[in-house]
Amino acid sequence: MKLRCLGKGGGFHFPACHILEIDGFRILLECPIDLSAIAVFSPISAVFDDANTELINAVPWYKTVTNFPISDLEASLIDVVVVSTPSGMLGLPFLARTKNFSAKVYATEVTARLGKMAMEELVEMHGEFVKVYGLEEDGCLPKWMDMVELRKLSLALKEIVMGENGEDLASWVPLYSTEDINESMKKFCVLKYAEESCYNGALILTPYASGLEIGASNWKISGLRGSVTYLTNSLFRSSHAAKFDFRSLQGNDVILFSDFSPLHENQLFQDNENLSSMPSRRISDDSIDFLESSDVDEDEKMSFLCSCVIDSVKRRGSVLIPIGQLGIMLLLLEEISKSLKSSNLQVPMFMFSPVAEEKMGYVNFIPEWLSESHRQKLFSGKPLFSHADLFEEKRLQLFPDINSSDVPMELREPCIVFCPHWSLRSGPVVHFLHLWRANKDCLLILEKGIDADLTLSPFTPLALKVLQCSFVCGITIPNISLLLNFLHPKLVAFPEDLKKVILLSKETTPSPSSFLFYTDNMTLHVPKVNDNFEAYMSMKLASQLQPRKLQQQNIAIARSGAQLSLQRGKFFLDSIPTPDKLSSRKIHWGSVDRKQLLTALEEKGIVVDHDTSSLTRDNCYNLKNVNGSSGPFQLHFSASETIITGHADETLVSIICEAIDSAADGI
Amino acid sequence: MAIECLVLGAGQEVGKSCVVVTIGGKKIMFDCGMHMGRVDNPYPDFSRLSPTGDFDNVLSCVIITHCHLDHVGALPFFTQVCGYRGPIYMTYPTKALSPIMLEDYHKILTEKSNGGEKFTLNDVKECMKKVIPVNIKESVQVDKDLQIRAYYAGHVLGAAMFYAKVGESTLVYTGDYSMTPDRHLGAAEIDRIQLDLLITESTYATTTRDSRFALEREFLNVVHKCVSDGGKVLMPTFSMGRTQELAIMLNDYWERMNLKVPIYFSAGLTLQANVYYKMLIGWTSQRIKQSYVKCNPFDFKHVLPFNRSYIDSPGPCVLFATPGMLTGGFSLEVFMKWAPSKENLVILPGYCLAGTVGHQLMSGKVKTINLDKNTQIDVQCQIHQISFSPHTDSKGIMDLIQFLSPYHVMLMHGEKLNMEKLKGKIQSELGTPCYNPANNETQDLKTSHFHVSRNGNVGEGILIMEKEKRAKFVHEDELLQTLNTEEHKVKIAGCFPVDIGKLQSSVSSLQPNLIEYGGHKFSENANLGKFNILQLLQIKLNELINIEIVCQGFR
Ligand SMILES: [Zn+2]
Ligand SMILES: [Zn+2]
């Protein structure tokens, strides 16, 4: 098994990406786009005369993972793509449009559907740029990629565009089309949680809830020589999504640990220092105690956000929420509408997105994918999300975009607007930022992980209040080693960048597993965890066996012919039509029990010839056949062989061999 | 390996489906239904399962296929009265819809107030709390050895076939299913899995139905004709399933034909059911799922709630009333009022159990129905039986058996005579052993373990079986290493005469430039005698004894 990390990603919207080779199959784990990089392009806004002009004025290209297998050849070598979250599939059409791309893509039903919506949203918003700049010419590099132009970029932008040594330049690609999306969706094999799917008769892929987002998953990938847990960002406590199903991952041989959230959260050092002093609440989950230090904070964060929103609207300022995480957005919607109600405020809420209607409708009929509390709503006959009521009461209105015909000419302000895109470069958010940026009573809520300075630079000077909030989106550090101990793998492939984390926690709780550390773009050879393959034997074959007990009393062996076949990742051994045609080669081992040998020979009429006893030494017997003609002959013994010399004809030799057979282990 | 099936219900009949299968040492109860036609003895005889009533240690789990009462009706009784506390599995929709069906039924029983109810509404609630919901195709590990998985079955929202596996022993219990999609549900869908046993329903064991389209048109025409003649249409249905399917059809038809005659749902219940349907769109047909974004197909534009006072108001209308089969309650009340009028119409949407009023109506030209000693209903109205059904027909059953090709088939949920015919057909046409045990009978089945397709590689090796360890199959070259031992060779050193007499002469008679011997060519060497005698000897020896002899170092 081999592992190559193509990129450690960057938070919720840009998951890490790997290539895993197992049993000769090449699996691409995630296929993301680094959407934060489109910050280098300026938003469409002819209106901003005073805008920062440092950004690139062009139809944006999109940045994939640095070492992404984007060439026709590399893409054609991929057998399987595994996708865990909608962000993990945004780059898929880039692969799907290469020649000879024939991989099968595995994702949960919900991830595939939400991911498709995200791609459509992206294409739709991208269209705004095309409208302004016109279509790009096919097959030639855009002007901004010219070396001369690139040199003009500021240091910060150059770093994003080119990477440290220019290696990132090749990872920029023009966006795909709606047809590309539809084409790539045909490659999908969509699954439910805990649904086993078989690739090529050999690999079994099974997604289990990761708790990160509705439909998000970790994976069990079972090969012929053992099973791998592909562990992505996971949340023990999730407000909307089905909870992290870590139990189903127990006992797999290898864990590919790919939750980089501690790295992006910058909690690495600060948390380690106060590991013991952290206010922790132990949530007992049967036998395991996971530290849920964060959930209290999360609730606090949410209520703080709501209070800020209420403050704004009370001061007649509008609120702009370009949050990309579906779960967070749903939670905000729910909490804000509750706060509004309790404060007795009649503030309208709007949602602008080409897929708003589809998305909000969709989450209302996927109870199986939601958290326990939402499932309970199904069983008691209440709508899964309160936004169904909000529509009915007209407190929340959905529009495909700001120009759609049913949008009222003047939105009643103050209002609360949910809209894409969190990168603040395209989509309705740009329009609203124009509108409200100078109003100090307005509020903009951003996700963490966004370079706020760069992202907001085209909108300066800003008067509106900006709130950047961070939500936990992975396994928190204290839980990592607890989880790994519970899962009990033989091997863990762990990011080198997080080595400190695991070494530190290993001191407190020694882990039974061995660790390997991987770094970007280096191939890690994962040693075999099982030397043997597992196979099932049919009753028929078992009944045909003629086992023989060895001198070690607890072992029996049998020679057998069998038919070997592979079905759904399992080997089966069945009987063959002519089982008697087995090899006749005799193998013996160990030592020969001489006493037993002589007794056996005696029974066949072969005795020690005492006439020539002078020749009989410790390691050599003279033997003769009492009633036969052939002989005399000698048996020479040594630790590793028995040699028959003298006049022995074929029958005699076979008699001797039989006797040796009974006096030594052999088959 | 053997599988044992104890049939506690739906053996050679329809009603109180319940079979307990013992597979690989695990006991699984499939369905826990009640017999609606029988008030005195509606439940399976659970005492046969455990005379002491200790069900928790006997059963590994209970699996319910769908929300119809003949499949879930006895569950509250079994958990709350008999005291079963082990795991219960059903799909999400079944868990959501079953309580409605059970409460619906409970209402009828209390209306009849003959003490027939053996559980309370609270029992229903408590019972449903214990249910573990599962998704289609989700592999659920009940315990270390037992794995179960649901497959889509059509029939009614949330209906599932269940697959169970212990070791390499496997079976599928279908529950009720349909092999063709209808207005709101898809057709049954299952993987091709190796099965020891398939237990299938056989409601329509001998019927092959016409195209669905024609049957649906016939239904719509009958309804249309009745209302245009000023008649009232009564559809006694249960709140789930049929109602939504027929309402979608009528709603579409009304829209298309621009009809203004009112369509009513009887009080609250069915409207409540629609709230569930809206959350469970993921379990409906592909067509509905796709149309959802635009409008919710369960918001029926032409359907209004019914008010009791409308019973006697004049003019045509269509009324969906619960319960189905006219077993009592509101639908029977309306029936008593409407039956005596010739222009009215009663639609029987599905199978009616023996002993119900619906069943009497189905069986032919009944003119009077004796409800009890004092009540007689004069039946003048038209009766129409809907012939499209959410159950598979015999062709569908045969198709499924052929697709799965299990080693054994067991028929349940059907009428005895029809089952016999189907059984004969399965045995003769498909060559699969088939059984249809009656209630309270036990069927023992022998199973061969797995059978492998004949396309594997044939090989040979040595199987090492060590006590308390997994057996290991090795190549003979690996054997000694695996056993951690050295080979003991048995060699034979023989002495025998070899005739090399002609060797000398053959050498002397050679051509000067070329020595040819036994097909080997040697180029001439200046020092022929010294060099080649030994080599020639080697070749000769090689010919005589079939062992490779290495000749080296002779130069
Ligand atoms: Zn049914
Ligand atoms: Zn049934």
Side-chain angles (χ1 to χ4, degrees):
Chain A
M1 194 174 9
K2 275 191 252 173
L3 173 73
R4 191 153 61 96
C5 175
L6 301 183
K8 52 191 177 228
F12 182 92
H13 294 292
F14 185 35
C17 175
H18 311 266
I19 282 189
L20 179 68
E21 277 177 56
I22 177 169
D23 293 333
F25 298 112
R26 192 177 279 234
I27 307 174
L28 175 68
L29 304 172
E30 314 304 335
C31 194
I33 303 180
D34 181 4
L35 279 176
S36 69
I38 65 166
V40 301
F41 295 94
S42 65
I44 304 163
S45 44
V47 206
F48 295 136
D49 296 329
D50 54 349
N52 182 326
T53 51
E54 202 193 37
L55 300 175
I56 301 166
N57 286 301
V59 175
W61 278 31
Y62 294 79
K63 195 181 175 189
T64 60
V65 178
T66 307
N67 304 296
F68 202 62
I70 200 71
S71 75
D72 284 357
L73 176 69
E74 283 173 301
S76 71
L77 292 176
I78 297 169
D79 300 297
V80 171
V81 183
V82 167
V83 171
S84 308
T85 59
S87 334
M89 64 186 266
L90 288 185
L92 202 72
F94 295 134
L95 280 187
R97 71 186 179 189
T98 60
K99 254 183 256 161
N100 305 324
F101 176 74
S102 59
K104 209 163 174 187
V105 185
Y106 291 86
T108 64
E109 225 172 76
V110 174
T111 293
R113 179 86 181 253
L114 292 176
K116 181 169 185 251
M117 289 183 214
M119 292 195 273
E120 284 166 349
E121 200 175 67
L122 201 61
V123 167
E124 189 83 19
M125 290 184 305
H126 182 80
E128 297 165 16
F129 289 98
V130 178
K131 249 184 245 160
V132 172
Y133 296 104
L135 269 175
E136 286 180 283
E137 266 179 76
D138 257 357
C140 55
L141 287 179
K143 232 197 218 124
W144 62 269
M145 272 204 165
D146 211 281
M147 251 348 195
V148 186
E149 296 290 323
L150 287 175
R151 249 175 238 131
K152 289 183 198 158
L153 294 177
S154 74
L155 214 62
L157 293 194
K158 218 183 270 171
E159 167 113 29
I160 295 175
V161 174
M162 304 172 66
E164 260 170 64
N165 304 308
E167 72 275 5
D168 283 3
L169 207 53
S171 58
W172 289 89
V173 276
L175 194 65
Y176 38 79
S177 64
T178 310
E179 294 82 69
D180 292 331
I181 297 175
N182 294 336
E183 207 49 49
S184 66
M185 292 314 289
K186 288 183 193 156
K187 314 275 183 190
F188 271 78
C189 170
V190 296
L191 305 173
K192 319 255 189 210
Y193 282 145
E195 177 179 349
E196 295 166 3
S197 183
C198 183
Y199 176 77
N200 215 1
L203 287 183
I204 310 274
L205 299 111
T206 319
Y208 296 99
S210 70
L212 180 68
E213 185 61 284
I214 303 170
S217 55
N218 293 311
W219 294 81
K220 175 179 177 175
I221 303 170
S222 298
L224 300 174
R225 259 188 216 273
S227 49
V228 181
T229 297
Y230 167 44
L231 190 68
T232 63
N233 295 29
S234 303
L235 281 184
F236 281 98
R237 179 180 179 269
S238 177
S239 58
H240 291 87
K243 72 169 183 200
F244 180 20
D245 181 5
F246 55 89
R247 275 160 210 289
S248 301
L249 303 171
Q250 195 178 26
N252 294 345
D253 299 307
V254 179
I255 291 181
L256 164 52
F257 190 93
S258 183
D259 183 343
F260 284 83
S261 59
L263 193 66
H264 304 303
E265 262 155 43
N266 264 338
Q267 56 166 342
L268 208 54
F269 304 103
Q270 142 209 350
D271 273 2
N272 277 343
E273 280 158 23
N274 346 328
L275 199 65
S276 49
S277 64
M278 223 170 5
S280 60
R281 194 171 84 188
R282 276 176 182 268
I283 293 214
S284 183
D285 200 327
D286 292 354
S287 52
I288 326 127
D289 281 348
F290 285 109
L291 295 163
E292 285 299 335
S293 56
S294 49
D295 57 354
V296 187
D297 310 348
E298 296 293 287
D299 289 348
E300 271 170 19
K301 268 179 221 163
M302 205 35 91
S303 47
F304 172 70
L305 274 178
C306 284
S307 68
C308 292
V309 170
I310 297 295
D311 281 354
S312 267
V313 293
K314 273 187 177 160
R315 278 184 273 118
R316 307 206 51 77
S318 292
V319 181
L320 183 56
I321 310 176
I323 296 273
Q325 299 186 36
L326 178 61
I328 299 291
M329 189 189 77
L330 290 170
L331 193 61
L332 274 172
L333 186 60
E334 217 147 79
E335 294 298 320
I336 290 174
S337 63
K338 253 192 256 167
S339 301
L340 288 175
K341 208 164 199 172
S342 65
S343 324
N344 237 334
L345 287 165
Q346 291 287 326
V347 177
M349 293 191 280
F350 301 100
M351 191 174 287
F352 293 91
S353 160
V355 294
E357 201 180 350
E358 186 182 357
K359 199 184 266 180
M360 298 307 273
Y362 183 62
V363 294
N364 259 327
F365 63 83
I366 45 171
E368 309 87 6
W369 302 84
L370 302 178
S371 70
E372 193 52 39
S373 61
H374 286 82
R375 288 181 200 174
Q376 285 310 323
K377 289 190 180 166
L378 164 70
F379 302 132
S380 48
K382 295 188 195 96
L384 301 174
F385 287 99
S386 60
H387 60 244
D389 298 335
L390 297 177
F391 296 148
E392 233 139 81
E393 297 161 19
K394 294 264 177 197
R395 290 170 63 202
L396 172 66
Q397 284 171 278
L398 308 183
F399 301 105
D401 62 73
I402 38 172
N403 304 317
S404 102
S405 56
D406 44 352
V407 179
M409 281 304 278
E410 292 268 321
L411 285 182
R412 193 162 68 87
E413 289 183 33
C415 60
I416 294 163
V417 171
F418 293 84
C419 64
H421 185 268
W422 56 265
S423 64
L424 308 190
R425 286 299 175 268
S426 58
V429 70
V430 178
H431 167 88
F432 288 106
L433 264 178
H434 283 181
L435 217 56
W436 296 334
R437 67 195 172 110
N439 184 341
K440 64 173 176 31
D441 292 328
C442 288
L443 174 66
L444 170 69
I445 300 181
L446 291 180
E447 288 169 63
K448 62 149 180 234
I450 294 170
D451 178 350
D453 288 343
L454 176 65
T455 310
L456 287 168
S457 66
F459 304 99
T460 47
L462 279 174
L464 100 167
K465 203 172 152 193
V466 180
L467 204 60
Q468 196 168 14
C469 60
S470 77
F471 295 96
V472 176
C473 64
I475 308 168
T476 48
I477 290 169
N479 280 334
I480 292 178
S481 54
L482 286 174
L483 177 66
L484 292 181
N485 278 357
F486 172 79
L487 296 180
H488 213 292
K490 291 176 184 153
L491 265 178
V492 184
F494 205 77
E496 180 81 40
D497 306 80
L498 296 178
K499 197 171 185 173
K500 231 177 139 176
V501 171
I502 201 69
L503 290 183
L504 203 91
S505 56
K506 261 176 102 172
E507 283 167 22
T508 48
T509 44
S511 163
S513 327
S514 29
F515 280 78
L516 298 167
F517 295 95
Y518 63 82
T519 49
D520 269 23
N521 211 27
M522 292 283 286
T523 301
L524 178 74
H525 291 264
V526 182
K528 263 188 274 179
V529 283
N530 294 318
D531 288 325
N532 302 309
F533 295 103
E534 221 166 78
Y536 290 79
M537 181 180 279
S538 76
M539 291 290 249
K540 196 170 171 204
L541 179 60
S543 65
Q544 284 170 353
L545 293 174
Q546 293 171 330
R548 167 184 181 165
K549 251 193 182 160
L550 299 191
Q551 282 171 349
Q552 289 164 269
Q553 282 300 310
N554 55 349
I555 298 183
I557 62 173
R559 214 179 256 278
S560 169
Q563 178 179 268
L564 183 72
S565 60
L566 180 62
Q567 286 170 29
R568 284 190 74 86
K570 278 181 188 166
F571 284 113
F572 290 89
L573 288 169
D574 200 6
S575 59
I576 48 176
T578 48
D580 35 64
K581 277 193 188 162
L582 295 177
S583 149
S584 54
R585 193 190 141 202
K586 270 279 173 193
I587 313 172
H588 293 98
W589 58 88
S591 59
V592 177
D593 184 334
R594 287 183 211 171
K595 217 167 146 194
Q596 209 172 322
L597 174 65
L598 291 180
T599 325
L601 285 172
E602 218 165 308
E603 276 167 21
K604 302 278 179 192
I606 296 165
V607 292
V608 176
D609 188 353
H610 291 289
D611 298 349
T612 50
S613 58
S614 59
L615 279 173
T616 302
R617 292 184 307 269
D618 270 1
N619 292 326
C620 181
Y621 295 143
N622 271 314
L623 297 165
K624 66 173 182 191
N625 198 347
V626 179
N627 39 18
S629 51
S630 62
F633 61 95
Q634 293 85 42
L635 284 179
H636 299 266
F637 297 104
S638 75
S640 65
E641 54 187 22
T642 299
I643 303 169
I644 308 163
T645 57
H647 301 280
D649 61 10
E650 242 168 75
T651 30
L652 194 60
V653 166
S654 73
I655 288 171
I656 297 165
C657 284
E658 236 169 77
I660 292 173
D661 216 22
S662 68
D665 281 337
I667 192 154
Chain B
M1 275 291 152
I3 296 181
E4 190 192 278
C5 305
L6 169 62
V7 178
L8 292 180
Q12 303 179 356
E13 65 163 2
V14 176
K16 62 167 181 182
S17 283
C18 186
V19 58
V20 177
V21 181
T22 312
I23 173 171
K26 304 276 167 185
K27 266 194 167 53
I28 309 164
M29 179 186 285
F30 288 99
D31 282 335
C32 189
M34 63 173 317
H35 207 301
M36 293 198 59
R38 295 202 198 119
V39 187
D40 335 323
N41 195 12
Y43 297 140
D45 181 3
F46 296 120
S47 67
R48 286 177 188 267
L49 191 56
S50 162
T52 61
D54 175 19
F55 301 110
D56 294 352
N57 286 316
V58 173
L59 286 177
S60 293
C61 67
V62 172
I63 291 173
I64 304 291
T65 57
H66 64 286
C67 63
H68 285 152
L69 290 173
D70 60 325
H71 297 260
V72 72
L75 190 65
F77 177 75
F78 188 51
T79 61
Q80 305 311 112
V81 182
C82 300
Y84 171 72
R85 281 169 308 177
I88 306 161
Y89 295 92
M90 52 178 86
T91 62
Y92 282 87
T94 306
K95 178 170 176 177
L97 304 180
S98 292
I100 305 180
M101 302 294 269
L102 288 162
E103 282 160 22
D104 208 359
Y105 173 70
H106 192 268
K107 224 172 273 171
I108 303 169
L109 284 183
T110 31
E111 267 168 31
K112 281 192 170 176
S113 68
N114 54 1
E117 75 270 26
K118 290 197 170 161
F119 56 84
T120 63
L121 285 180
N122 197 49
D123 285 341
V124 175
K125 222 172 163 185
E126 289 303 313
C127 162
M128 296 315 292
K129 270 189 199 162
K130 300 173 188 170
V131 172
I132 305 164
V134 300
N135 204 348
I136 293 292
K137 287 193 175 175
E138 177 189 349
S139 296
V140 179
Q141 213 69 41
V142 175
D143 58 35
K144 204 168 98 293
D145 307 305
L146 172 60
Q147 191 187 60
I148 60 168
R149 196 182 300 149
Y151 286 98
Y152 195 76
H155 184 64
V156 70
L157 200 70
M161 302 181 175
F162 272 88
Y163 162 80
K165 177 181 166 211
V166 182
E168 290 302 302
S169 302
T170 53
L171 83 134
V172 162
Y173 173 86
T174 65
D176 297 350
Y177 62 101
S178 51
M179 294 290 275
T180 43
D182 69 19
R183 289 289 170 140
H184 72 302
L185 296 174
E189 238 185 270
I190 190 163
D191 294 335
R192 204 184 287 268
I193 359 175
Q194 195 97 62
L195 290 183
D196 292 314
L197 170 65
L198 173 71
I199 304 177
T200 173
E201 67 134 318
S202 51
T203 320
Y204 292 95
T206 53
T207 329
T208 310
R209 281 189 301 270
D210 294 341
S211 92
R212 201 178 166 90
F213 180 70
L215 298 171
E216 287 182 2
R217 201 173 41 195
E218 186 195 336
F219 156 74
L220 292 167
N221 286 342
V222 173
V223 173
H224 192 178
K225 186 169 178 304
C226 174
V227 292
S228 52
D229 292 349
K232 291 176 161 50
V233 182
L234 171 65
M235 276 190 261
T237 56
F238 291 101
S239 40
M240 294 295 159
R242 248 13 235 315
T243 314
Q244 283 73 18
E245 183 195 355
L246 298 175
I248 290 177
M249 283 170 65
L250 287 178
N251 197 64
D252 287 357
Y253 187 76
W254 253 233
E255 187 83 42
R256 215 164 56 234
M257 306 301 282
N258 201 16
L259 296 181
K260 296 285 177 256
V261 178
I263 303 173
Y264 296 116
F265 275 2
S266 76
L269 227 155
T270 323
L271 291 172
Q272 177 62 30
N274 287 336
V275 176
Y276 287 94
Y277 265 73
K278 284 180 199 171
M279 283 187 273
L280 294 167
I281 283 172
W283 296 71
T284 59
S285 69
Q286 210 58 38
R287 192 182 70 94
I288 291 200
K289 270 189 263 181
Q290 276 156 8
S291 74
Y292 175 75
V293 181
K294 295 255 145 50
C295 67
N296 193 315
F298 296 107
D299 284 331
F300 306 113
K301 200 173 139 196
H302 297 270
V303 177
L304 310 161
F306 192 72
N307 187 309
R308 193 171 280 273
S309 64
Y310 299 169
I311 297 184
D312 298 316
S313 32
C317 70
V318 178
L319 170 64
F320 288 85
T322 57
M325 304 183 199
L326 294 170
T327 51
F330 189 62
S331 61
L332 189 62
E333 189 186 331
V334 177
F335 174 73
M336 285 160 70
K337 290 272 175 60
W338 292 2
S341 300
K342 259 193 181 125
E343 63 270 22
N344 290 349
L345 169 70
V346 173
I347 302 263
L348 297 172
Y351 188 84
C352 289
L353 288 167
T356 60
V357 174
H359 191 261
Q360 290 180 55
L361 294 177
M362 260 166 57
S363 50
K365 301 232 176 295
V366 191
K367 283 298 155 204
T368 47
I369 282 176
N370 296 311
L371 210 56
D372 53 51
K373 275 187 208 122
N374 313 316
T375 324
Q376 209 177 46
I377 310 170
D378 179 26
V379 183
Q380 292 297 322
C381 65
Q382 310 149 54
I383 310 289
H384 179 82
Q385 215 185 315
I386 288 182
S387 40
F388 49 92
S389 151
H391 289 274
T392 174
D393 65 359
S394 74
K395 185 180 172 298
I397 300 173
M398 293 299 278
D399 287 349
L400 184 73
I401 298 173
Q402 205 159 13
F403 175 77
L404 291 170
S405 39
Y407 297 115
H408 304 275
V409 173
M410 201 172 105
L411 303 179
M412 285 182 68
H413 201 286
E415 272 150 7
K416 190 181 175 187
L417 280 179
N418 293 339
M419 282 169 125
E420 291 293 341
K421 282 184 203 156
L422 180 64
K423 181 170 125 182
K425 201 171 161 196
I426 290 165
Q427 283 173 334
S428 63
E429 286 181 22
L430 304 176
T432 311
C434 182
Y435 321 87
N436 59 332
N439 281 350
N440 300 325
E441 280 182 8
T442 301
Q443 183 74 53
D444 284 310
L445 304 164
K446 277 224 164 3
T447 66
S448 63
H449 242 29
F450 66 91
H451 279 232
V452 188
S453 59
R454 289 275 148 212
N455 55 10
N457 296 317
V458 172
E460 180 192 326
I462 296 164
L463 193 73
I464 305 171
M465 292 156 277
E466 192 172 349
K467 255 186 203 148
E468 278 148 31
K469 278 192 186 167
R470 244 181 228 200
K472 205 168 181 183
F473 208 62
V474 298
H475 187 264
E476 61 177 26
D477 293 348
E478 302 171 298
L479 177 70
L480 296 167
Q481 200 194 345
T482 316
L483 289 172
N484 195 17
T485 183
E486 300 282 322
E487 180 163 9
H488 188 96
K489 286 200 177 108
V490 176
K491 289 182 179 165
I492 302 154
C495 297
F496 54 93
V498 175
D499 178 19
I500 52 163
K502 295 224 173 91
L503 197 58
Q504 208 60 36
S505 60
S506 66
V507 172
S508 56
S509 67
L510 284 172
Q511 299 285 324
N513 291 327
L514 195 70
I515 306 163
E516 194 165 339
Y517 191 86
H520 299 265
K521 283 182 181 170
F522 299 92
S523 59
E524 194 191 2
N525 187 294
N527 201 348
L528 177 75
K530 186 184 164 199
F531 147 68
N532 268 322
I533 298 281
L534 275 170
Q535 239 175 27
L536 289 172
L537 179 65
Q538 182 212 351
I539 293 160
K540 177 109 185 177
L541 281 172
N542 270 344
E543 261 176 13
L544 283 170
I545 43 179
N546 215 357
I547 301 170
E548 194 151 315
I549 293 172
V550 186
C551 172
Q552 52 184 189
F554 286 118
R555 287 234 173 176

